[in-house]
Amino acid sequence: MTFSFELFPPKTDKGMENLRDTIGHLCEFRPDYFSITYGAGGTNAGRNMDVCRMVLDAGTVPVTHFTCIGNTREEIREQLRSYLDQGVDHMLALRGDLPHGWTGTGGDFSYASDLVAFVRREFGSRFEIAVAGSPEGHIQCRSLEADIAVLKQKQDNGADYIMTQLCWDMEQFKRWLDAIRRAGITMPVDVGVMPILDQAATINMALSRNGCVMDRDLCRIISRNWIFPNPFVSDPSDAEAEDKKARFREEGMEYTIRQIDTYRTLGIGGIHLYALNKWKDVSEIIGRSGMRTRV
C-alpha cells in the first residue's frame, strides 16, 4: 500500500520557506509521493513548480496537479514539456474547480478525460497519470452511475490510478469501490484523507466544494463542541471556545485514525493524507495510527 501527502503552494516567501522545512519532516515517513495543488484557473502555477522542485530536492516524487482551465492544447503541451524538463513526470489530471463566475473551463478541454487522452497521445508513457475519483459522485455530475462511467472513460483513455476526493461516509465508500470494480475499473485507488482538526474548516470543506456527507459520528463531534454563536465567527461569545477547539481537535484526530483503520482493511491502493502544509498534526495522526514510522 502506498503512502503519500498533498501540499499546496503558499502565497508568501515566508510560507514557501516554512514548507521546505515541512517537507523535510514529512519525508521522515518515507512517502511514495507528494501531490502539489495550484489554485483555481491555474493561479500559483509558478509556485507549484517551485514546490515540485523542493520535493525533488528532498529525494522523493512530486505529482503535480494539472487542470484544463484556461489552457489551450499548445499551452498544455508547452507546460508539460517544461515539467518534464524539470524532472516532473507524474501528474494528477483534473478539470479543476471553476473560478467564481465561470461557466466553462475557458480552454480547449472541458473534461479531465479529454486531458488524459491528449497527454497520452502527445507524450506516450512519459507521464504517470492519476485521476480524481468521487465516492459520493462529483457535485456537478447528474448521477453516481454517470460519474463512474466517466471514471471508466479516464481509464480507457490511459489513466494509471485514482486519487479520491475526501469521503467520510464509509458505507458509501464501500458501495462505490464495489461499483467501480463491477464497471471494469481496475486502477489502484489511493484514498484522500482529510484530517479533522478544525470545526469551521471541516464544515466548509464538506459543503463549499464537495457536497459530501458528514456521518453521524462526525456530526456528534461537531455538536458536542459547538462554538456559539457559530464556529465561523472570528471572535465568538462562547466562554468555552478555546476548550472546545482543543476537544474538537482531539476527537477529530481519533475520528481520522479510525477512518484510516477502516480504509486499510478494504484493499485500497494507498492512503493520500492531506497535510494542509503542516507536519506536526499529521505526524501525530501517523504515529498514533501505527501505519508508518519515522526512518
Side-chain angles (χ1 to χ4, degrees):
M1 190 177 72
T2 64
F3 179 66
S4 55
F5 297 105
E6 180 181 282
L7 304 171
F8 61 87
K11 295 180 180 179
T12 66
D13 292 340
K14 178 63 174 176
M16 290 291 284
E17 189 57 39
N18 290 341
L19 184 58
R20 189 181 298 277
D21 183 60
T22 293
I23 290 170
H25 284 288
L26 294 178
C27 278
E28 294 179 16
F29 295 104
R30 306 183 310 273
D32 295 283
Y33 63 85
F34 288 85
S35 76
I36 298 101
T37 73
Y38 55 56
T43 54
N44 262 3
R47 288 188 183 268
N48 167 278
M49 179 66 84
D50 292 340
V51 178
C52 286
R53 279 194 288 264
M54 286 183 190
V55 172
L56 285 168
D57 291 344
T60 189
V61 176
V63 179
T64 182
H65 289 212
F66 198 90
T67 72
C68 302
I69 294 176
N71 276 322
T72 65
R73 287 175 173 83
E74 186 56 38
E75 288 168 338
I76 291 170
R77 189 181 293 112
E78 290 304 311
Q79 289 175 56
L80 291 180
R81 283 174 181 164
S82 178
Y83 276 109
L84 286 174
D85 289 343
Q86 297 286 336
V88 179
D89 56 5
H90 292 63
M91 63 181 293
L92 172 59
L94 302 161
R95 185 205 68 173
D97 295 327
L98 299 180
H100 182 69
W102 287 39
T103 57
T105 63
D108 285 344
F109 301 128
S110 298
Y111 303 105
S113 55
D114 299 328
L115 176 60
V116 172
F118 176 80
V119 174
R120 278 289 174 250
R121 185 168 61 250
E122 294 291 321
F123 295 95
S125 60
R126 296 183 69 188
F127 278 98
E128 181 168 280
I129 303 176
V131 290
S134 301
E136 296 170 273
H138 192 281
I139 191 171
Q140 293 180 331
C141 201
R142 60 186 174 273
S143 69
L144 183 61
E145 291 75 18
D147 202 48
I148 291 172
V150 170
L151 188 57
K152 176 64 162 61
Q153 186 176 4
K154 293 177 185 178
Q155 175 177 280
D156 294 344
N157 286 354
D160 293 300
Y161 66 103
I162 300 165
M163 287 189 204
T164 73
Q165 272 288 6
L166 63 91
C167 178
W168 295 311
D169 185 342
M170 299 309 298
E171 293 307 311
Q172 173 57 29
F173 181 86
K174 294 173 188 176
R175 289 191 292 269
W176 174 81
L177 190 60
D178 287 343
I180 67 169
R181 297 310 185 209
R182 288 196 306 271
I185 297 169
T186 58
M187 292 184 288
V189 175
D190 286 6
V191 176
V193 176
M194 176 64 69
I196 305 298
L197 300 169
D198 177 83
Q199 192 174 134
T202 298
I203 297 169
N204 184 62
M205 184 62 67
L207 301 180
S208 69
R209 288 287 188 188
N210 299 293
C212 62
V213 169
M214 290 182 287
D215 72 350
R216 189 169 188 180
D217 285 346
L218 179 53
C219 288
R220 282 176 167 171
I221 293 171
I222 293 171
S223 294
R224 278 196 298 268
N225 300 288
W226 186 258
I227 297 171
F228 292 94
N230 67 69
F232 296 96
V233 174
S234 58
D235 188 19
S237 58
D238 195 327
E240 298 180 62
E242 293 307 312
D243 289 340
K244 288 178 176 179
K245 288 178 181 178
R247 288 200 305 268
F248 182 88
R249 179 186 178 278
E250 174 59 27
E251 291 184 43
M253 193 167 287
E254 282 296 323
Y255 175 93
T256 303
I257 292 166
R258 290 195 302 272
Q259 185 183 38
I260 290 171
D261 289 341
T262 302
Y263 278 135
R264 292 172 71 189
T265 67
L266 297 178
I268 57 169
I271 295 289
H272 187 56
L273 193 59
Y274 301 125
L276 307 173
N277 287 16
K278 300 174 183 178
W279 64 270
K280 292 183 180 179
D281 290 331
V282 294
S283 294
E284 186 173 348
I285 289 170
I286 296 164
R288 286 166 59 174
S289 71
M291 65 176 171
R292 206 78 161 186
T293 55
R294 290 191 167 118
V295 175

